[in-house]
Amino acid sequence: MGGTWAESASGDSVDVIEAATEESLGRAALGDARDIDRAVRAARAALDDGPWGRTSPAERAELMFRFADRLDAAAEDTATLVSRENGTPIALSRVANGIGPGETVRMYARLAAGLSTEEVRPSPHGATIVRREPAGVVGAITPWNHPQTLAVMKIAPALAMGCAVVLKPAPETALDAFVFGEAAAAAGFPGGVVNVVPGGREAGAALVSHPGVDKVAFTGSTAAGRAIGAESGRLIRPCTLELGGKSASIVLDDADLDVFTAGLGESSFRNNGQTCALQTRILAPRRRYDEVVGAVGQFARGLVVGDPLDESVTCGPMVSAAHRDRVLAHIDGALAGGARLVTGGGRPGDRDRGWFVEPTVFAGVSNSDAIAREEVFGPVVVVIPYDDDDEAVRIANDSDYGLGGSVWTSDEARGLDVARRVRTGTIGINYYALDPGAPFGGMKASGLGRELGPEALAAYTEYKSVYASARWLPEV
């Protein structure tokens, strides 16, 4: 923090465990409220007293391009480390945690280079200069499931707007987070602009409530998001919250099931089910219900469960023993409630180490059942029947969440009509994949605000109106 490595104030540390082997990967220092205070003060000084607060958009862009290059140089090692920390299959990790972060930084560097910080508008009394200024010190709190992607979705637009950042990553993926500090220092950012403080709930709470923080950006559970939103409201502090999901995949009666199953890996099972926008409620037309159930079950049985560093593996372990047990508890609850198990349902019999869960499919489920309403965050999906398009939309919208979604059909215009009626922040037609150039976020209990796309810059911007004389108006 502050441009240098620092010992944690408490001396506490965490043993980061490899998800597939249950062996130690290393130890990471954990920060507490004192470390958060030091990091926020360093960020505040960089903005208020250091050179960062006086940089132009073009100067920020130049530093960001160098930052991206440094992230790229570490990409393969970072991707491998994340796969070992949280179980992400290596092919996915190379994109999400390897090359993706650098590309996101470059996208925002290009946007920064083209930023206009002032616009002059005529007013009844002369002219008004409308300024875009950085929001200030950003407290960024990120989870373990896509640690590099979700961190850079906050860091990059914040830096583009001239903010300073204090990143608090999750303890489970504390080791990979340090690449941001290393890359920022190597790129030449002034001390205090990028600060990394791994920590648990105490550190997160201290960051959210710190008086030197101007903006909070959080990705995580809806329960934690509610607490952060409440504290931010008390402090009159803006926050961006990207929270949980229980999204719907609507298979229309004219869908090509080959297309549907080809997209299931991304839409419903990405990252071992540890992705918030996954469509884990699959809605199937009643007359094709058994056909859809069969296709989903066959796909799930075809997933290769194993070591995420094995190139052939398509479903790795859960991030921790505690999380594996939570996923298994959801499965046991569904079985006790009468859901019909199509495939999976427990731990793989051939895995005596690692926090693995079999890809699991349930049929005979109502949308009112707990397994259809609660976020499992594992490789578990349910197939729910419906009678017509209107009922499919009603079921899709009958959820506390609204983050992702998909519609599968041979008639794209029909699919677009259905997609427009689903209350969700993102939805795909015959595929689901995030577009970094477009806004991402949720409705209802899935969050507040948007990340990605040019729209994300607004979350890190404060507007100031300067009332001036007409001499400032451009000549016509």
Side-chain angles (χ1 to χ4, degrees), residues 57-420:
E59 290 169 331
R60 296 197 293 269
E62 182 179 350
L63 285 167
M64 291 178 69
F65 282 122
R66 295 209 294 265
F67 184 42
D69 290 342
R70 295 293 179 168
L71 292 175
D72 283 354
E76 184 64 24
D77 288 343
T78 303
T80 300
L81 177 57
V82 173
S83 289
R84 297 181 71 185
E85 288 174 315
N86 72 359
T88 301
I90 188 62
L92 170 60
S93 196
R94 284 197 182 103
V95 176
N97 301 298
I99 64 173
E103 287 305 302
T104 299
V105 170
R106 286 189 185 87
M107 179 179 77
Y108 283 102
R110 290 189 289 269
L111 289 171
L115 276 177
S116 175
T117 57
E118 293 188 348
E119 175 191 349
V120 183
R121 303 176 186 176
S123 78
H125 308 288
T128 299
I129 303 169
V130 179
R131 287 182 49 80
R132 300 178 70 183
E133 298 185 350
V137 174
V138 174
I141 302 174
T142 53
W144 45 259
N145 60 322
H146 291 285
Q148 291 284 308
T149 295
L150 295 171
V152 84
M153 283 165 61
K154 297 159 183 58
I155 294 170
L159 294 179
M161 283 307 306
C163 299
V165 179
V166 178
L167 171 67
K168 193 221 68 80
E172 293 89 344
T173 49
L175 295 177
D176 73 88
F178 290 114
V179 73
F180 291 113
E182 294 167 348
F189 280 98
V193 175
V194 178
N195 307 271
V196 182
V197 185
R201 292 182 180 180
E202 178 192 354
L207 184 57
V208 170
S209 62
H210 196 289
V213 169
D214 301 295
K215 152 84 183 181
V216 173
F218 170 77
T219 298
S221 72
T222 295
R226 291 186 195 280
I228 291 170
E231 179 67 358
S232 297
R234 185 184 72 81
L235 296 170
I236 319 297
R237 178 175 295 164
C239 62
T240 301
L241 306 174
E242 196 266 282
L243 309 177
K246 192 70 179 181
S247 302
S249 177
I250 303 175
V251 182
L252 296 182
D253 57 14
D254 65 347
D256 183 331
L257 291 192
D258 288 338
V259 174
F260 167 62
T261 54
L264 267 175
E266 282 294 305
S267 65
S268 297
F269 288 96
R270 179 183 173 89
N271 196 24
N272 323 326
Q274 299 178 139
T275 300
C276 51
L278 291 183
Q279 293 100 72
T280 53
R281 291 183 298 149
I282 296 173
L283 312 187
R286 200 172 296 276
R287 71 178 184 85
R288 299 187 69 185
Y289 184 74
D290 290 343
E291 185 183 4
V292 173
V293 169
V296 177
Q298 183 178 2
F299 177 87
R301 283 187 289 272
L303 290 170
V304 180
V305 178
D307 183 346
L309 298 183
D310 183 336
E311 300 282 354
S312 68
V313 164
T314 51
C315 186
M318 302 294 94
V319 70
S320 67
H323 185 60
R324 175 204 61 199
D325 291 346
R326 282 193 292 270
V327 173
L328 291 175
H330 280 287
I331 292 172
D332 290 343
L335 291 170
R340 174 165 62 89
L341 182 65
V342 177
T343 190
R347 300 177 62 180
D350 61 345
R351 292 283 160 183
D352 57 357
R353 290 194 307 167
W355 301 308
F356 293 93
V357 174
E358 293 175 308
T360 299
V361 179
F362 285 108
V365 173
S366 166
N367 197 55
S368 61
D369 293 341
I371 194 67
R373 304 201 71 81
E374 298 171 358
E375 184 175 37
V376 176
F377 223 62
V380 181
V381 303
V382 300
V383 187
I384 301 170
Y386 70 86
D387 287 318
D388 56 28
D389 291 6
D390 289 341
E391 186 182 19
V393 171
R394 181 187 61 76
I395 294 172
N397 288 334
D398 182 15
S399 172
D400 294 333
Y401 301 102
L403 186 57
S406 57
V407 182
W408 305 85
T409 176
S410 296
D411 183 345
E412 190 167 9
R414 179 187 177 195
L416 183 58
D417 178 66
V418 170
R420 286 173 172 145

